[in-house]
C-alpha cells in the first residue's frame, strides 16, 4: 500500500478528527494564497519534537526514523488552512522561546528529561485549550505520520490477522450447530 493511500484511509477512519484532515480528504486542493516556509532547522526541531512524543525503543524505531519533520512540513504546507498553518508555525517558534526562557537552551539541545517535561506541560495546556492548540496539531501529525510510515507500519505496529489458528479443513457438522 502506498503512503498516500494509507494516509487517506487513516484520515477517513478518524472521521476527519485530525486537524487539517478535511483538506487532505479533498486532495489538499486549497488555494495557496500565502506560503509558510519551514527552514532546515524547523524540520530538525519537528523531528526532535516527534522523537520526544514517540521515542525509539528496543523494539521499534522512533519518529525520527519516519522523517516526521518532513511529513509535518508537507502536511502543514499543503493541507492546513492558512490560519491553522500560521498557528502551527507560531507554535513551533513558541516551543523554542519556552525552551530558551525556562532551560537556557534551544529545544534540540535539551536533555530527554527536559524535552519530555516541556512537552508534557504543553500537552496539559493544549488539553484545556481545545483542538486549535498548536501542540495538539503537532501531536496528531506525529502519531498519524509515524503510523503511516514504513518504519511505523512494519516495525512498530503488531498485526494479528486472525486471532487463533485458522483450520479451513474442519468438516461442518449440522447437528452440533443446532444443539
Amino acid at each position: 500500500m502506498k503512503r498516500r493511500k494509507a494516509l487517506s484511509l487513516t484520515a477517513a477512519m478518524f472521521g476527519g478528527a485530525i486537524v487539517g484532515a478535511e483538506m487532505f480528504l479533498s486532495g489538499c486542493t486549497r488555494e495557496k494564497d500565502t506560503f509558510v516556509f519551514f527552514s532546515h532547522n524547523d524540520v530538525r526541531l519537528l523531528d526532535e519534537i516527534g522523537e520526544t512524543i514517540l521515542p525509539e525503543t528496543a523494539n521499534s524505531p522512533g519518529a525520527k526514523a519516519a522523517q516526521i519533520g518532513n511529513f509535518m512540513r508537507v502536511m502543514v504546507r499543503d493541507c492546513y488552512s492558512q490560519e491553522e498553518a500560521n498557528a502551527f508555525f507560531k507554535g513551533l517558534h513558541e516551543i523554542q522561546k519556552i525552551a530558551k526562557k525556562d532551560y537556557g537552551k534551544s529545544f534540540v539541545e535539551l536533555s530527554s528529561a527536559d524535552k519530555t517535561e516541556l512537552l508534557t506541560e504543553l500537552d496539559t495546556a493544549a488539553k484545556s485549550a481545545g483542538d486549535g492548540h498548536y501542540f495538539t496539531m503537532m501531536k496528531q501529525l506525529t502519531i498519524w505520520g509515524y503510523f503511516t510510515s514504513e518504519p511505523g507500519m512494519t516495525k512498530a505496529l503488531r498485526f494479528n490477522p486472525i486471532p487463533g489458528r485458522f483450520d479451513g479443513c474442519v468438516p461442518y457438522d449440522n447437528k452440533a450447530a443446532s444443539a
Side-chain angles (χ1 to χ4, degrees), residues 6-7 9 14 16-17 20 22 27 29 36-38 45 57-58 60 62 72 77-78 83 89 96 126 137-138 150 167:
L7 290 171
L9 291 173
F14 284 121
E22 61 280 348
T29 56
V36 177
F37 176 75
F38 287 89
L45 176 58
T57 66
S60 63
M72 284 194 257
R77 187 188 66 208
D78 293 350
E83 182 181 311
F89 195 70
Q96 282 289 54
M137 295 179 202
M138 289 176 190
E150 184 178 346
D167 189 356

Side-chain angles (χ1 to χ4, degrees), residues 28-80:
C28 295
T29 56
R30 74 173 177 87
E31 292 182 25
K32 307 248 191 267
D33 50 352
T34 3
F35 184 72
V36 177
F37 176 75
F38 287 89
S39 70
H40 174 72
N41 287 335
D42 293 335
V43 172
R44 186 171 161 227
L45 176 58
L46 288 171
D47 275 337
E48 289 295 325
I49 292 167
E51 188 72 17
T52 305
I53 294 170
L54 289 172
E56 180 179 359
T57 66
N59 297 326
S60 63
K64 275 187 191 176
Q67 298 178 353
I68 206 66
N70 279 322
F71 173 81
M72 284 194 257
R73 178 185 57 82
V74 169
M75 292 303 292
V76 169
R77 187 188 66 208
D78 293 350
C79 298
Y80 276 23

Side-chain angles (χ1 to χ4, degrees), residues 50-139:
E51 188 72 17
T52 305
I53 294 170
L54 289 172
E56 180 179 359
T57 66
N59 297 326
S60 63
K64 275 187 191 176
Q67 298 178 353
I68 206 66
N70 279 322
F71 173 81
M72 284 194 257
R73 178 185 57 82
V74 169
M75 292 303 292
V76 169
R77 187 188 66 208
D78 293 350
C79 298
Y80 276 23
S81 69
Q82 190 61 47
E83 182 181 311
E84 292 166 339
N86 288 340
F88 186 94
F89 195 70
K90 287 178 185 172
L92 184 62
H93 293 285
E94 182 67 24
I95 289 174
Q96 282 289 54
K97 286 180 192 174
I98 294 169
K100 293 256 186 197
K101 182 180 141 254
D102 292 354
Y103 300 95
K105 300 178 186 176
S106 72
F107 185 84
V108 174
E109 298 170 325
L110 296 178
S111 69
S112 293
D114 289 342
K115 289 177 187 175
T116 302
E117 182 181 331
L118 191 152
L119 294 187
T120 301
E121 290 172 11
L122 283 175
D123 191 38
T124 303
K127 286 177 184 172
S128 63
D131 282 343
H133 196 274
Y134 64 88
F135 186 72
T136 301
M137 295 179 202
M138 289 176 190
K139 195 165 130 180

